[in-house]
Amino acid sequence: MTVPLTPGAVGQFEAAFVGLLALFAVPASQAGLAVLLNRFISFWTFIVFSGLVTYLSGLNSALAAPENVS
């Protein structure tokens, strides 16, 4: 078992993924595109989806500053 040196193994994962694809004779440009597409799908779609769920569940209004009730 290994411990990544960076959060989310950013950089390490990409290098390993490109190296693995190189073993299968995938061109470097296509391997780079595959790695970027994988990271986009795995990270950014989760962030957008989680933000939408948080907003729709009403947590946004719960965290808003309370109004003065005098």
Side-chain angles (χ1 to χ4, degrees), residues 6-67:
T6 59
V10 173
Q12 299 166 2
F13 174 80
E14 286 81 4
F17 196 5
V18 169
L20 179 67
L21 291 174
L23 290 175
F24 291 102
V26 176
S29 61
Q30 289 181 353
L33 181 60
V35 169
L36 290 176
L37 184 62
N38 180 298
R39 277 298 186 183
F40 175 77
I41 291 170
S42 64
F43 277 148
W44 295 108
T45 56
F46 177 75
I47 290 172
V48 170
F49 180 73
S50 299
L52 182 63
V53 168
T54 302
Y55 178 77
L56 292 176
S57 69
L59 189 59
N60 187 29
S61 61
L63 295 176
E67 296 178 18

